[in-house]
Amino acid sequence: MSITKIFLAAILLSTAIAFEPKCFFPEPAGDFDAYKLRGTTWYTGLQTNDAAASDIKCERAGNFTETSNGFRTDLRTFKKSNKHIDWVAHFTFLRSGVYQESKVKDDFSMTDAYTVDENGKYNSAADSIVENVLLERDYAFISDHLNYWMAILCSEEGQWIVWVYFPTKTPNLTNIAAAYNELQRLGVSTQLHASQCDKAH
């Protein structure tokens, strides 16, 4: 069975849920060490089907750098239109495993990356998530620093926003299982969709 078939089977089995509970913010068990992600390029493999992700084929993260108050990382957001946008995300440490994105430094870049659709049209639903969730609410960053790292947020409406990054465009069963096991341990129960990183260039 090919890796793609295993990947799709894992998604279908894990997302076959009858009821999606209201989002609660998971408190990470340990700190998120961005330094341990250095030297690896990470790609989104699974994500919720939120408006900010609706026109994104894939997102690549790398060059994790510690700062005086948190960390920053270089991102390349691949649009479905085959364009990409390069930008830098800045995160401020709040408490163990919990960060907030810098509204001052990242507002324009994030808006550019997430709120314009493949036809160049403005997506107001995505803009609402950027302005009211991604730039305002706390992020839980969770990672085993080997198989996955993930960002988990709760929207104002109590919906999960989850993006799971893997160290390859085509994660293997070990990568996927490690991420799903951690999501289950945290009590995160939401539908996740496969990204299209294998088609991003």
Side-chain angles (χ1 to χ4, degrees):
M1 184 181 286
S2 71
I3 295 297
T4 302
K5 288 181 181 176
I6 293 171
F7 187 36
L8 291 173
I11 292 168
L12 291 172
L13 287 172
S14 299
T15 60
I17 54 175
F19 174 72
E20 187 173 312
K22 186 172 181 180
C23 177
F24 62 89
F25 188 77
E27 288 296 337
D31 197 12
F32 175 75
D33 190 346
Y35 183 80
K36 291 181 180 178
L37 300 181
R38 292 181 63 183
T40 302
T41 302
W42 298 83
Y43 300 87
T44 51
L46 296 168
Q47 61 201 50
T48 44
N49 190 28
D50 55 85
S54 63
D55 190 52
I56 296 173
K57 186 184 296 183
C58 174
E59 191 160 75
R60 184 183 76 192
N63 193 26
F64 288 80
T65 306
E66 293 179 309
T67 62
S68 60
N69 60 356
F71 73 94
R72 62 185 171 87
T73 182
D74 295 341
L75 294 172
R76 173 168 285 184
T77 303
F78 296 90
K79 309 288 278 183
K80 288 183 179 174
S81 60
N82 292 322
K83 289 179 17 182
H84 67 262
I85 295 171
D86 292 318
W87 58 293
V88 180
H90 304 79
F91 293 97
T92 302
F93 176 84
L94 298 178
R95 58 189 183 277
S96 183
V98 181
Y99 292 76
Q100 194 164 70
E101 183 125 17
S102 170
K103 187 167 187 173
V104 173
K105 293 179 180 177
D106 298 346
D107 191 350
F108 177 79
S109 298
M110 185 179 278
T111 299
D112 192 33
Y114 297 157
T115 66
V116 179
D117 71 15
E118 59 187 298
N119 300 312
K121 294 182 179 177
Y122 169 75
N123 182 332
S124 60
D127 185 63
S128 178
I129 288 181
V130 168
E131 292 299 323
N132 299 312
V133 183
L134 301 181
L135 290 171
E136 291 291 342
R137 300 178 79 85
D138 295 351
Y139 288 67
F141 283 129
I142 296 155
S143 179
D144 67 357
H145 305 104
L146 176 65
N147 291 294
Y148 67 87
W149 73 275
M150 62 182 80
I152 303 173
L153 302 93
C154 287
S155 75
E156 290 182 314
E157 294 77 26
Q159 294 179 324
W160 300 101
I161 295 179
V162 180
W163 291 26
V164 184
Y165 295 74
F166 296 104
T168 173
K169 289 182 178 181
T170 53
N172 61 36
L173 192 56
T174 300
N175 303 141
I176 296 163
Y180 268 117
N181 287 341
E182 183 60 15
L183 286 169
Q184 287 187 334
R185 188 192 70 77
L186 291 166
V188 175
S189 178
T190 187
Q191 289 192 352
L192 296 176
H193 301 260
S195 67
Q196 300 174 348
C197 286
D198 58 331
K199 298 177 182 176
H201 302 288

